[in-house]
Amino acid sequence: MSVIQIQNLTKYYGKTLALDSVDLEVEQGEVFGFIGPNGAGKTTTLRILLGLLRKNAGKVSVLGGDPWRDAVALHRRLAYVPGDVNLWPSLSGGEVIDLLARLRGGFDQSRRDELVKRFALDPTRQCRTYSKGNRQKVALIAALASDVELFILDEPTSGLDPLMEATFRECVAEIKRAGKTVLLSSHILAEVEALCDRISIIKEGKIVETGTLTELRHLTRTSVSVKTRRQITGLSTFQGVHNLTVDGASTRFSVDADAINPVMQYLTKFDVMALTSTLPTLEDLFLRHYELQTGESAQ
Ligand code: ATP
């Protein structure tokens, strides 16, 4: 079942086209990554899903409802964490957590206390005294302690230190195990890579790729380093082989996903002694895509 369905979503700010026919579908129980460069349209998409912004055209459904019309009912069933959290300055962190969490459907007190400990937050301090990272923790704890079906997280770990970022990852894994759905926008590609079942890449208001990491890896190249007993010849004529360097027994190259099989078979003719291959990371993929989009050819 789809928890979020977006079809042909278009949004203008004045004359600026921020979203250009965006399609996105998030299934129940998945952690879905939403990545793209600054200004690509991630926050705009999420704000439309939250009913905070009005679309110009297209269809949007969240938990079966219309986020603009059914905002009150939907906000009891979802939790949102923005990248830049503003809190009531004179309330304590604990008071804000309770306030935010009560606005939503259910709220688990023991889970809340456990999260305060795990995120090492002092909930007695006034919000005006919190650093950015601590404000972020307040919003995260309030969201994670809520008994909701959908979590919409817009760069939720900006400002968190690496230890807390690891805690965040554990919490998302727990949510997923509980069958909840997460839409996560992040610039931290390692975080997306570690957590997300599927990913969409948005660029200049358009979705440019969607798929699992494995599917997206097919779009890019594997780096291979091989040592052979006899010097390799003839590899440069293969389709899909790039950046070839042969140095006696050592050869390095990168290879397109669909050329791996014939290339590996060819290598065996030269008596392979050692071989290492490195899978492309999401970062390689993202950067390659970004370079292609800006008109340079990716190597
Ligand atoms: P970032 O990663 O920097 O947060 P983003 O992917 O979330 O970026 P958006 O904030 O959705 O991007 O912005 C998409 C486009 O819409 C950008 O060109 C931005 O300049 C423009 N934009 C966003 N908000 C407004 C606004 N209130 N008025 C006018 N233009 C806006």
Side-chain angles (χ1 to χ4, degrees):
M1 195 194 87
S2 296
V3 169
I4 295 174
Q5 265 184 313
I6 301 180
Q7 284 163 352
N8 285 317
L9 177 63
T10 300
K11 171 71 187 169
Y12 285 91
Y13 291 106
K15 283 187 180 151
T16 309
L17 179 59
L19 298 178
D20 184 0
S21 288
V22 165
D23 289 323
L24 198 83
E25 195 153 345
V26 180
E27 303 291 332
Q28 188 185 346
E30 74 177 339
V31 180
F32 193 98
F34 196 32
I35 61 175
N38 292 129
K42 301 178 295 294
T43 300
T44 301
T45 307
L46 300 189
R47 288 174 65 82
I48 291 173
L49 290 174
L50 293 162
L52 295 170
L53 263 184
R54 201 164 191 166
K55 64 184 189 246
N56 290 102
K59 277 194 189 159
V60 178
S61 149
V62 176
L63 295 165
D66 172 344
W68 186 257
R69 218 188 40 220
D70 309 323
V72 176
L74 288 177
H75 279 267
R76 301 187 73 77
R77 298 170 63 197
L78 66 83
Y80 167 56
V81 176
D84 196 5
V85 176
N86 286 308
L87 303 172
W88 294 267
S90 60
L91 297 187
S92 71
E95 285 170 330
V96 171
I97 291 172
D98 296 345
L99 177 65
L100 287 175
R102 284 205 191 96
L103 293 174
R104 299 177 184 132
F107 168 51
D108 181 341
Q109 184 69 36
S110 63
R111 172 88 172 142
R112 174 236 193 244
D113 296 343
E114 175 211 318
L115 288 166
V116 167
K117 278 206 195 87
R118 283 168 74 184
F119 279 100
L121 178 80
D122 177 355
T124 60
R125 284 177 51 187
Q126 277 195 332
C127 288
R128 69 160 60 88
T129 69
Y130 280 140
S131 63
K132 174 173 166 47
N134 280 324
R135 289 199 302 274
Q136 206 68 33
K137 287 182 195 177
V138 169
L140 270 172
I141 294 167
L144 295 168
S146 307
D147 185 16
V148 291
E149 294 153 70
L150 170 64
F151 295 82
I152 296 183
L153 311 177
D154 192 1
E155 294 179 42
T157 54
S158 58
L160 290 194
D161 64 45
L163 201 64
M164 292 303 134
E165 146 92 32
T167 303
F168 167 77
R169 288 189 196 187
E170 285 167 21
C171 291
V172 172
E174 288 161 12
I175 295 177
K176 186 178 152 60
R177 278 199 293 277
K180 311 294 175 77
T181 308
V182 181
L183 176 57
L184 169 68
S185 146
S186 177
H187 281 296
I188 305 172
L189 297 179
E191 176 177 286
V192 173
E193 194 158 1
L195 291 174
C196 295
D197 301 302
R198 290 193 303 140
I199 297 152
S200 269
I201 303 178
I202 186 168
K203 175 94 202 296
E204 291 169 1
K206 289 196 175 89
I207 301 286
V208 288
E209 296 297 346
T210 298
T212 62
L213 191 59
T214 313
E215 283 164 357
L216 297 188
R217 272 184 177 136
H218 286 294
L219 301 167
T220 191
R221 294 168 189 158
T222 302
S223 304
V224 178
S225 169
V226 59
K227 274 197 176 13
T228 46
R229 242 176 260 286
R230 286 182 295 116
Q231 183 167 330
I232 291 178
T233 53
L235 201 55
S236 59
T237 59
F238 266 80
Q239 282 272 324
V241 170
H242 309 268
N243 309 327
L244 178 65
T245 57
V246 183
D247 179 12
S250 300
T251 303
R252 287 171 179 277
F253 59 92
S254 55
V255 56
D256 289 341
D258 54 7
I260 291 177
N261 200 25
V263 167
M264 290 300 141
Q265 284 177 10
Y266 185 73
L267 292 182
T268 60
K269 294 189 201 318
F270 301 90
D271 214 350
V272 175
M273 293 189 290
L275 182 141
T276 55
S277 73
T278 319
L279 271 179
T281 61
L282 186 57
E283 189 154 353
D284 294 333
L285 188 107
F286 183 70
L287 291 175
R288 175 161 185 264
H289 207 32
Y290 191 77
E291 284 164 3
L292 283 173
Q293 290 281 311
T294 52
E296 294 167 34
S297 73
Q299 291 300 299

